[in-house]
Amino acid sequence: MSDERKSAGTGRRVVMAGAGMAGVQTAVALRERGFDGTITLIGAEPHQPYDRPPLSKAVLLGKAEGSAFDIDFDTLGVELRLGVEVTGVRPADHELDTETGPVAYDTLVLATGAEPLRLPGSEGVPGVHLLRTLDDAERLRPVLAEQHDVVVVGAGWIGAEFATAARDAGCAVTVVEAAEHPLAGALPAEVAAPMAAWYAEAGAELRTRTRVARVEPGEVLLDDGGRLPAGAVVVGIGARPATGWLAGSGIELGAHGEVVADARLRTSAPDVYAVGDCASFPSERYGERLLVHHWDNAVQGPRTVAADIAGETPAAYDPVPYFWSEQFGRFVQYVGHHGGADELVWRGDPATPSWTVCWLREGALVALLAVGRPRDLAQARKLITTATPMDPTLLADPAVPLKKAART
Protein backbone atom coordinates (compact mmCIF):
# COMPACT_ATOMS: atom_id res chain seq x y z
CA MET A 1 0.00 0.00 0.00
CA SER A 2 1.32 3.47 -0.84
CA ASP A 3 2.30 5.90 1.94
CA GLU A 4 -0.22 8.33 0.48
CA ARG A 5 -3.08 5.90 1.03
CA LYS A 6 -1.86 4.97 4.50
CA SER A 7 -1.98 8.60 5.59
CA ALA A 8 -5.27 9.35 3.91
CA GLY A 9 -7.38 8.61 7.01
CA THR A 10 -10.96 9.73 6.56
CA GLY A 11 -12.36 8.89 3.16
CA ARG A 12 -10.41 5.70 2.61
CA ARG A 13 -12.59 2.85 1.47
CA VAL A 14 -11.91 -0.67 2.76
CA VAL A 15 -14.00 -3.42 1.19
CA MET A 16 -14.18 -7.00 2.47
CA ALA A 17 -15.06 -9.68 -0.07
CA GLY A 18 -16.57 -12.17 2.33
CA ALA A 19 -18.69 -11.67 5.46
CA GLY A 20 -17.62 -14.71 7.47
CA MET A 21 -15.39 -14.75 10.53
CA ALA A 22 -12.29 -13.45 8.72
CA GLY A 23 -14.07 -10.52 7.05
CA VAL A 24 -16.04 -9.56 10.15
CA GLN A 25 -13.01 -9.73 12.44
CA THR A 26 -10.99 -7.57 10.03
CA ALA A 27 -13.71 -4.91 10.17
CA VAL A 28 -13.83 -5.06 13.98
CA ALA A 29 -10.04 -4.90 14.27
CA LEU A 30 -9.88 -1.87 11.97
CA ARG A 31 -12.32 0.06 14.14
CA GLU A 32 -10.46 -1.00 17.28
CA ARG A 33 -7.35 0.59 15.75
CA GLY A 34 -9.17 3.86 15.14
CA PHE A 35 -9.62 3.49 11.41
CA ASP A 36 -12.19 6.14 10.44
CA GLY A 37 -12.69 5.45 6.74
CA THR A 38 -15.60 3.51 5.25
CA ILE A 39 -15.82 -0.25 5.70
CA THR A 40 -18.04 -2.40 3.51
CA LEU A 41 -18.66 -6.12 4.06
CA ILE A 42 -19.96 -7.99 1.02
CA GLY A 43 -21.36 -11.46 1.69
CA ALA A 44 -22.83 -14.01 -0.70
CA GLU A 45 -25.33 -15.30 1.85
CA PRO A 46 -28.46 -13.29 2.73
CA HIS A 47 -28.13 -13.97 6.47
CA GLN A 48 -26.59 -11.70 9.07
CA PRO A 49 -22.90 -12.68 9.40
CA TYR A 50 -22.59 -15.74 11.60
CA ASP A 51 -20.13 -18.15 13.19
CA ARG A 52 -19.76 -21.58 11.56
CA PRO A 53 -18.68 -24.05 14.30
CA PRO A 54 -22.16 -24.23 15.91
CA LEU A 55 -23.66 -25.37 12.58
CA SER A 56 -22.46 -28.95 13.11
CA LYS A 57 -23.55 -28.90 16.73
CA ALA A 58 -26.28 -26.79 18.37
CA VAL A 59 -27.83 -25.41 15.17
CA LEU A 60 -27.92 -28.80 13.48
CA LEU A 61 -29.61 -30.42 16.48
CA GLY A 62 -32.17 -27.64 16.80
CA LYS A 63 -30.75 -26.39 20.10
CA ALA A 64 -30.08 -22.97 18.58
CA GLU A 65 -31.78 -21.10 15.74
CA GLY A 66 -28.58 -19.59 14.44
CA SER A 67 -25.15 -18.31 15.36
CA ALA A 68 -25.15 -14.67 14.27
CA PHE A 69 -22.28 -12.57 15.57
CA ASP A 70 -23.22 -10.36 18.49
CA ILE A 71 -22.04 -7.23 16.70
CA ASP A 72 -23.94 -4.01 16.06
CA PHE A 73 -22.64 -3.24 12.58
CA ASP A 74 -24.52 0.07 12.39
CA THR A 75 -22.87 1.33 15.57
CA LEU A 76 -19.55 0.05 14.31
CA GLY A 77 -20.03 2.00 11.10
CA VAL A 78 -19.81 -1.05 8.85
CA GLU A 79 -22.00 -1.31 5.77
CA LEU A 80 -23.35 -4.78 5.07
CA ARG A 81 -24.17 -5.84 1.53
CA LEU A 82 -25.61 -9.31 1.95
CA GLY A 83 -26.82 -11.80 -0.63
CA VAL A 84 -24.34 -10.38 -3.14
CA GLU A 85 -21.89 -12.59 -5.03
CA VAL A 86 -18.46 -11.26 -5.93
CA THR A 87 -17.57 -12.10 -9.52
CA GLY A 88 -14.14 -10.62 -10.12
CA VAL A 89 -11.65 -7.92 -9.27
CA ARG A 90 -9.69 -5.47 -11.39
CA PRO A 91 -6.69 -4.42 -9.28
CA ALA A 92 -5.49 -1.84 -11.79
CA ASP A 93 -8.85 -0.04 -11.49
CA HIS A 94 -9.23 -0.66 -7.75
CA GLU A 95 -12.68 -2.12 -8.41
CA LEU A 96 -14.39 -5.24 -7.16
CA ASP A 97 -16.97 -6.71 -9.51
CA THR A 98 -20.20 -8.06 -8.03
CA GLU A 99 -23.45 -9.35 -9.46
CA THR A 100 -25.02 -5.97 -8.62
CA GLY A 101 -22.25 -3.90 -10.18
CA PRO A 102 -18.70 -2.70 -9.48
CA VAL A 103 -17.57 -1.53 -6.04
CA ALA A 104 -14.64 0.86 -5.81
CA TYR A 105 -12.05 0.37 -3.08
CA ASP A 106 -8.85 1.87 -1.78
CA THR A 107 -8.04 -1.35 0.07
CA LEU A 108 -9.58 -4.76 -0.62
CA VAL A 109 -9.56 -7.74 1.75
CA LEU A 110 -10.19 -11.16 0.23
CA ALA A 111 -12.01 -13.25 2.84
CA THR A 112 -14.21 -15.58 0.80
CA GLY A 113 -13.22 -18.67 2.80
CA ALA A 114 -13.46 -22.20 1.48
CA GLU A 115 -16.13 -24.19 -0.30
CA PRO A 116 -16.87 -27.88 0.28
CA LEU A 117 -15.86 -30.42 -2.31
CA ARG A 118 -18.81 -32.10 -3.99
CA LEU A 119 -19.09 -35.81 -4.58
CA PRO A 120 -18.76 -36.34 -8.35
CA GLY A 121 -22.03 -37.43 -9.90
CA SER A 122 -24.13 -36.46 -6.88
CA GLU A 123 -25.23 -33.04 -8.11
CA GLY A 124 -28.98 -32.81 -8.34
CA VAL A 125 -29.63 -36.15 -6.62
CA PRO A 126 -32.37 -35.72 -4.00
CA GLY A 127 -31.25 -36.19 -0.42
CA VAL A 128 -27.58 -35.31 -0.93
CA HIS A 129 -26.32 -32.62 1.47
CA LEU A 130 -23.25 -30.58 2.30
CA LEU A 131 -22.68 -28.92 5.67
CA ARG A 132 -20.99 -25.57 5.31
CA THR A 133 -23.66 -22.87 5.55
CA LEU A 134 -26.59 -21.97 7.76
CA ASP A 135 -28.95 -23.00 4.97
CA ASP A 136 -27.20 -26.39 4.80
CA ALA A 137 -27.76 -26.90 8.53
CA GLU A 138 -31.41 -25.86 8.25
CA ARG A 139 -31.98 -28.39 5.47
CA LEU A 140 -30.40 -31.13 7.56
CA ARG A 141 -32.31 -30.46 10.77
CA PRO A 142 -35.49 -32.26 9.66
CA VAL A 143 -33.37 -35.17 8.41
CA LEU A 144 -32.14 -35.70 11.95
CA ALA A 145 -35.49 -34.97 13.52
CA GLU A 146 -37.14 -37.66 11.37
CA GLN A 147 -34.34 -40.14 12.19
CA HIS A 148 -33.53 -41.08 8.61
CA ASP A 149 -30.87 -43.66 7.76
CA VAL A 150 -27.84 -41.49 7.05
CA VAL A 151 -24.74 -42.21 5.00
CA VAL A 152 -21.81 -39.90 5.61
CA VAL A 153 -19.16 -39.81 2.89
CA GLY A 154 -15.81 -38.93 4.45
CA ALA A 155 -14.45 -39.61 7.93
CA GLY A 156 -12.69 -36.28 8.39
CA TRP A 157 -13.44 -33.68 11.03
CA ILE A 158 -16.78 -32.57 9.60
CA GLY A 159 -17.84 -36.15 8.87
CA ALA A 160 -17.15 -37.21 12.45
CA GLU A 161 -18.97 -34.19 13.86
CA PHE A 162 -22.02 -34.77 11.71
CA ALA A 163 -22.03 -38.50 12.51
CA THR A 164 -21.94 -37.55 16.19
CA ALA A 165 -24.95 -35.27 15.83
CA ALA A 166 -26.85 -37.82 13.77
CA ARG A 167 -26.30 -40.53 16.37
CA ASP A 168 -27.35 -38.12 19.13
CA ALA A 169 -30.57 -37.60 17.17
CA GLY A 170 -31.17 -41.35 16.94
CA CYS A 171 -30.33 -41.87 13.27
CA ALA A 172 -28.75 -45.03 11.91
CA VAL A 173 -25.36 -43.85 10.61
CA THR A 174 -22.87 -45.41 8.20
CA VAL A 175 -19.66 -43.54 7.43
CA VAL A 176 -17.84 -44.41 4.19
CA GLU A 177 -14.17 -43.49 3.94
CA ALA A 178 -11.90 -44.17 0.96
CA ALA A 179 -8.70 -44.13 3.05
CA GLU A 180 -7.55 -46.83 5.45
CA HIS A 181 -8.38 -44.81 8.54
CA PRO A 182 -10.34 -41.74 9.64
CA LEU A 183 -8.72 -38.30 9.42
CA ALA A 184 -6.29 -39.61 6.82
CA GLY A 185 -5.45 -36.14 5.55
CA ALA A 186 -4.66 -34.79 8.99
CA LEU A 187 -3.14 -37.53 11.13
CA PRO A 188 -0.85 -40.54 10.64
CA ALA A 189 -2.46 -43.98 10.74
CA GLU A 190 -1.16 -44.93 14.18
CA VAL A 191 -2.72 -41.81 15.73
CA ALA A 192 -6.03 -41.97 13.90
CA ALA A 193 -6.48 -45.73 14.32
CA PRO A 194 -7.74 -45.51 17.94
CA MET A 195 -10.36 -43.01 16.80
CA ALA A 196 -11.92 -45.60 14.50
CA ALA A 197 -13.22 -47.41 17.59
CA TRP A 198 -15.16 -44.31 18.62
CA TYR A 199 -17.62 -44.83 15.77
CA ALA A 200 -18.62 -48.33 16.90
CA GLU A 201 -18.85 -47.20 20.52
CA ALA A 202 -21.34 -44.54 19.42
CA GLY A 203 -23.35 -47.05 17.39
CA ALA A 204 -22.17 -45.79 13.99
CA GLU A 205 -20.70 -48.06 11.34
CA LEU A 206 -17.38 -46.97 9.83
CA ARG A 207 -16.37 -48.52 6.50
CA THR A 208 -12.80 -47.64 5.55
CA ARG A 209 -11.10 -48.43 2.23
CA THR A 210 -14.53 -48.06 0.67
CA ARG A 211 -15.44 -45.79 -2.22
CA VAL A 212 -18.79 -44.56 -3.44
CA ALA A 213 -19.58 -45.62 -7.01
CA ARG A 214 -22.67 -43.47 -7.30
CA VAL A 215 -25.59 -42.07 -5.36
CA GLU A 216 -29.20 -42.73 -6.28
CA PRO A 217 -32.34 -41.47 -4.55
CA GLY A 218 -32.54 -43.35 -1.26
CA GLU A 219 -29.42 -45.43 -1.85
CA VAL A 220 -25.63 -45.30 -2.02
CA LEU A 221 -23.89 -47.77 -4.33
CA LEU A 222 -20.35 -48.73 -3.33
CA ASP A 223 -17.52 -49.68 -5.63
CA ASP A 224 -17.42 -53.18 -4.12
CA GLY A 225 -21.00 -53.75 -5.25
CA GLY A 226 -22.54 -53.08 -1.85
CA ARG A 227 -25.62 -50.94 -1.39
CA LEU A 228 -26.50 -48.76 1.59
CA PRO A 229 -30.00 -47.42 2.29
CA ALA A 230 -29.81 -43.68 2.66
CA GLY A 231 -32.64 -41.36 3.59
CA ALA A 232 -29.92 -38.72 3.41
CA VAL A 233 -26.32 -38.56 2.21
CA VAL A 234 -23.98 -36.02 3.79
CA VAL A 235 -20.76 -35.33 1.90
CA GLY A 236 -17.71 -34.31 3.95
CA ILE A 237 -14.72 -35.00 1.70
CA GLY A 238 -12.86 -31.75 2.20
CA ALA A 239 -12.88 -28.15 1.10
CA ARG A 240 -10.97 -25.88 -1.24
CA PRO A 241 -10.37 -22.13 -1.19
CA ALA A 242 -13.30 -20.23 -2.70
CA THR A 243 -11.20 -18.35 -5.23
CA GLY A 244 -12.56 -19.37 -8.63
CA TRP A 245 -13.96 -15.88 -9.03
CA LEU A 246 -10.41 -14.49 -9.08
CA ALA A 247 -9.64 -16.04 -12.48
CA GLY A 248 -8.17 -13.42 -14.78
CA SER A 249 -7.47 -10.95 -11.97
CA GLY A 250 -3.72 -11.47 -12.05
CA ILE A 251 -3.69 -12.17 -8.31
CA GLU A 252 -1.29 -15.04 -7.63
CA LEU A 253 -2.86 -18.34 -6.59
CA GLY A 254 -1.07 -21.34 -5.11
CA ALA A 255 -1.11 -25.05 -5.82
CA HIS A 256 -4.38 -25.57 -3.97
CA GLY A 257 -6.11 -22.61 -5.58
CA GLU A 258 -5.48 -20.43 -2.55
CA VAL A 259 -4.43 -16.79 -2.64
CA VAL A 260 -0.69 -16.53 -2.06
CA ALA A 261 -0.15 -13.96 0.69
CA ASP A 262 3.07 -12.66 2.23
CA ALA A 263 4.02 -12.45 5.90
CA ARG A 264 1.70 -9.44 6.33
CA LEU A 265 -1.09 -11.16 4.38
CA ARG A 266 -0.65 -8.90 1.35
CA THR A 267 -1.36 -10.44 -2.05
CA SER A 268 0.54 -9.96 -5.30
CA ALA A 269 -1.80 -7.08 -6.20
CA PRO A 270 -1.34 -3.62 -4.67
CA ASP A 271 -3.75 -2.73 -1.85
CA VAL A 272 -5.22 -6.23 -1.75
CA TYR A 273 -4.97 -8.52 1.29
CA ALA A 274 -6.14 -12.10 1.82
CA VAL A 275 -7.08 -13.70 5.13
CA GLY A 276 -8.64 -16.88 6.49
CA ASP A 277 -9.40 -20.12 4.64
CA CYS A 278 -8.81 -18.67 1.18
CA ALA A 279 -5.15 -17.72 1.73
CA SER A 280 -1.79 -19.32 2.46
CA PHE A 281 1.07 -17.59 4.23
CA PRO A 282 4.79 -18.29 4.74
CA SER A 283 5.65 -19.72 8.15
CA GLU A 284 9.21 -19.19 9.32
CA ARG A 285 8.36 -21.27 12.38
CA TYR A 286 7.61 -24.35 10.27
CA GLY A 287 9.73 -23.58 7.23
CA GLU A 288 6.90 -23.89 4.74
CA ARG A 289 3.83 -22.16 3.40
CA LEU A 290 0.70 -22.97 5.42
CA LEU A 291 -2.92 -23.16 4.27
CA VAL A 292 -5.01 -23.38 7.45
CA HIS A 293 -8.74 -24.10 7.19
CA HIS A 294 -9.64 -23.50 10.81
CA TRP A 295 -11.56 -20.98 12.90
CA ASP A 296 -8.58 -19.71 14.90
CA ASN A 297 -6.74 -18.64 11.74
CA ALA A 298 -9.78 -16.59 10.71
CA VAL A 299 -9.65 -14.84 14.09
CA GLN A 300 -5.91 -14.17 14.28
CA GLY A 301 -5.15 -13.17 10.70
CA PRO A 302 -7.48 -10.13 10.67
CA ARG A 303 -5.40 -8.47 13.41
CA THR A 304 -2.36 -8.50 11.14
CA VAL A 305 -4.36 -7.23 8.16
CA ALA A 306 -5.99 -4.44 10.17
CA ALA A 307 -2.70 -3.35 11.68
CA ASP A 308 -1.06 -3.15 8.27
CA ILE A 309 -3.97 -1.23 6.76
CA ALA A 310 -3.79 1.16 9.71
CA GLY A 311 -0.08 1.74 9.00
CA GLU A 312 1.25 -0.02 12.08
CA THR A 313 3.68 -2.37 10.24
CA PRO A 314 2.78 -5.51 12.17
CA ALA A 315 5.09 -8.40 12.96
CA ALA A 316 5.11 -11.24 10.45
CA TYR A 317 2.00 -13.39 10.63
CA ASP A 318 3.29 -16.73 11.89
CA PRO A 319 0.73 -18.21 14.29
CA VAL A 320 0.78 -21.57 15.99
CA PRO A 321 -2.27 -23.14 14.28
CA TYR A 322 -5.04 -24.43 16.54
CA PHE A 323 -8.36 -26.19 16.14
CA TRP A 324 -10.77 -28.34 18.07
CA SER A 325 -13.48 -30.88 17.37
CA GLU A 326 -16.23 -32.40 19.45
CA GLN A 327 -16.97 -35.96 18.38
CA PHE A 328 -18.51 -39.02 20.00
CA GLY A 329 -18.40 -37.51 23.49
CA ARG A 330 -14.77 -36.46 23.23
CA PHE A 331 -13.13 -33.05 23.06
CA VAL A 332 -10.27 -33.23 20.56
CA GLN A 333 -7.77 -30.38 20.25
CA TYR A 334 -4.76 -29.91 18.02
CA VAL A 335 -2.11 -27.22 18.14
CA GLY A 336 0.89 -26.62 15.91
CA HIS A 337 1.87 -28.29 12.64
CA HIS A 338 3.67 -31.58 12.09
CA GLY A 339 5.33 -33.36 9.22
CA GLY A 340 5.95 -37.01 8.46
CA ALA A 341 9.58 -36.81 9.57
CA ASP A 342 8.81 -35.42 13.03
CA GLU A 343 9.33 -37.66 16.07
CA LEU A 344 6.04 -38.93 17.52
CA VAL A 345 5.71 -39.38 21.28
CA TRP A 346 2.64 -40.97 22.90
CA ARG A 347 1.50 -39.54 26.19
CA GLY A 348 -1.08 -41.85 27.71
CA ASP A 349 -3.01 -44.87 26.49
CA PRO A 350 -5.32 -44.26 23.48
CA ALA A 351 -7.64 -46.96 24.80
CA THR A 352 -8.50 -44.68 27.72
CA PRO A 353 -10.81 -41.63 27.59
CA SER A 354 -7.94 -39.11 27.65
CA TRP A 355 -4.57 -39.17 25.93
CA THR A 356 -2.13 -36.99 24.04
CA VAL A 357 0.25 -37.31 21.11
CA CYS A 358 3.26 -35.01 20.72
CA TRP A 359 5.46 -34.29 17.71
CA LEU A 360 9.08 -33.21 18.16
CA ARG A 361 11.42 -31.65 15.61
CA GLU A 362 15.08 -31.49 16.56
CA GLY A 363 13.96 -32.08 20.14
CA ALA A 364 11.49 -29.19 20.28
CA LEU A 365 7.72 -29.55 20.49
CA VAL A 366 6.10 -28.53 17.17
CA ALA A 367 2.60 -30.03 17.47
CA LEU A 368 0.28 -31.77 19.91
CA LEU A 369 -3.04 -33.60 19.71
CA ALA A 370 -4.97 -33.78 22.97
CA VAL A 371 -8.03 -35.94 23.59
CA GLY A 372 -9.71 -34.87 26.80
CA ARG A 373 -6.53 -33.25 28.12
CA PRO A 374 -7.05 -29.49 27.76
CA ARG A 375 -4.25 -28.70 30.19
CA ASP A 376 -1.73 -30.38 27.89
CA LEU A 377 -3.06 -28.28 25.04
CA ALA A 378 -2.79 -25.00 26.95
CA GLN A 379 0.78 -25.69 28.01
CA ALA A 380 1.74 -26.91 24.55
CA ARG A 381 0.80 -23.61 22.90
CA LYS A 382 3.40 -21.80 24.99
CA LEU A 383 6.06 -24.46 24.52
CA ILE A 384 5.59 -24.52 20.75
CA THR A 385 5.66 -20.73 20.53
CA THR A 386 9.01 -20.65 22.33
CA ALA A 387 10.41 -23.72 20.49
CA THR A 388 11.26 -25.25 23.86
CA PRO A 389 13.41 -28.44 23.80
CA MET A 390 11.67 -31.35 25.52
CA ASP A 391 12.75 -34.49 27.38
CA PRO A 392 11.01 -37.34 25.49
CA THR A 393 11.03 -39.65 28.51
CA LEU A 394 9.29 -37.14 30.75
CA LEU A 395 7.03 -36.11 27.91
CA ALA A 396 5.76 -39.67 27.55
CA ASP A 397 4.61 -39.79 31.19
CA PRO A 398 1.04 -38.39 31.35
CA ALA A 399 1.43 -37.88 35.09
CA VAL A 400 4.17 -35.29 34.47
CA PRO A 401 2.81 -31.84 33.60
CA LEU A 402 3.81 -30.98 30.05
CA LYS A 403 5.74 -27.90 31.09
CA LYS A 404 7.77 -30.03 33.52
CA ALA A 405 8.99 -32.12 30.57
CA ALA A 406 10.92 -29.15 29.18
CA ARG A 407 14.68 -29.49 29.22
CA THR A 408 16.33 -27.07 31.61
Side-chain angles (χ1 to χ4, degrees):
M1 182 185 300
S2 67
D3 291 337
E4 180 180 349
R5 278 210 176 93
K6 280 187 177 178
S7 62
T10 302
R12 285 169 59 202
R13 301 161 298 180
V14 175
V15 175
M16 318 294 178
M21 176 63 79
V24 167
Q25 288 299 319
T26 303
V28 171
L30 278 168
R31 291 298 188 223
E32 287 177 346
R33 282 164 172 76
F35 178 81
D36 59 0
T38 64
I39 299 177
T40 303
L41 271 170
I42 300 176
E45 296 182 58
H47 311 290
Q48 280 288 113
Y50 62 87
D51 203 6
R52 293 190 189 279
L55 297 184
S56 60
K57 305 173 184 71
V59 175
L60 187 61
L61 290 169
K63 297 176 181 178
E65 289 303 313
S67 55
F69 294 117
D70 186 18
I71 297 172
D72 187 333
F73 290 99
D74 288 338
T75 300
L76 202 61
V78 173
E79 179 190 5
L80 295 180
R81 298 189 188 180
L82 303 176
V84 176
E85 291 271 2
V86 291
T87 58
V89 60
R90 288 168 286 115
D93 300 327
H94 278 69
E95 284 193 333
L96 179 72
D97 290 320
T98 77
E99 61 184 1
T100 59
V103 178
Y105 66 84
D106 293 310
T107 301
L108 175 64
V109 180
L110 307 178
T112 45
E115 56 192 4
L117 296 175
R118 297 180 180 274
L119 187 65
S122 68
E123 289 85 354
V125 178
V128 177
H129 300 263
L130 300 169
L131 180 52
R132 180 72 181 180
T133 69
L134 181 59
D135 288 340
D136 292 337
E138 293 291 350
R139 282 189 287 267
L140 279 165
R141 280 169 70 166
V143 169
L144 300 192
E146 295 163 17
Q147 298 186 335
H148 285 286
D149 289 346
V150 175
V151 173
V152 180
V153 184
W157 299 111
I158 194 66
E161 291 189 358
F162 180 80
T164 298
R167 285 300 300 140
D168 287 348
C171 298
V173 178
T174 303
V175 181
V176 178
E177 170 57 54
E180 294 186 358
H181 57 84
L183 297 167
L187 299 173
E190 63 184 297
V191 176
M195 298 176 172
W198 298 354
Y199 288 78
E201 290 174 13
E205 181 181 2
L206 172 63
R207 296 195 182 190
T208 57
R209 287 174 284 193
T210 304
R211 294 182 178 275
V212 173
R214 67 180 185 275
V215 179
E216 297 181 353
E219 195 171 47
V220 173
L221 282 69
L222 306 177
D223 63 355
D224 61 5
R227 293 170 177 264
L228 299 173
V233 178
V234 177
V235 179
I237 56 175
R240 62 185 167 210
T243 56
W245 64 281
L246 292 173
S249 68
I251 293 174
E252 182 183 357
L253 301 181
H256 302 284
E258 85 282 7
V259 180
V260 174
D262 68 8
R264 282 153 61 181
L265 300 181
R266 299 171 298 186
T267 74
S268 61
D271 306 317
V272 180
Y273 295 78
V275 66
D277 290 4
C278 71
S280 66
F281 55 89
S283 172
E284 183 177 349
R285 185 191 315 279
Y286 291 105
E288 61 182 288
R289 178 166 286 275
L290 298 183
L291 175 59
V292 181
H293 282 186
H294 295 298
W295 184 91
D296 194 59
N297 179 51
V299 173
Q300 293 198 60
R303 299 169 191 158
T304 295
V305 172
D308 203 63
I309 292 173
E312 298 176 13
T313 312
Y317 184 63
D318 197 3
V320 175
Y322 166 74
F323 71 90
W324 79 97
S325 177
E326 296 176 67
Q327 49 186 272
F328 307 116
R330 294 165 174 85
F331 187 45
V332 183
Q333 296 171 285
Y334 178 94
V335 65
H337 177 71
H338 71 271
D342 295 327
E343 179 186 359
L344 193 151
V345 178
W346 283 93
R347 181 174 164 82
D349 183 352
T352 63
S354 59
W355 46 274
T356 295
V357 174
C358 306
W359 284 268
L360 302 179
R361 185 177 303 173
E362 297 179 357
L365 188 67
V366 293
L368 178 143
L369 174 79
V371 177
R373 290 181 66 95
R375 184 173 297 178
D376 277 2
L377 192 289
Q379 294 180 16
R381 293 187 89 155
K382 298 176 183 177
L383 293 167
I384 293 171
T385 300
T386 54
T388 303
M390 307 297 290
D391 182 322
T393 302
L394 292 175
L395 192 64
D397 186 347
V400 175
L402 201 71
K403 60 186 178 182
K404 297 293 186 182
R407 291 191 185 276
T408 56

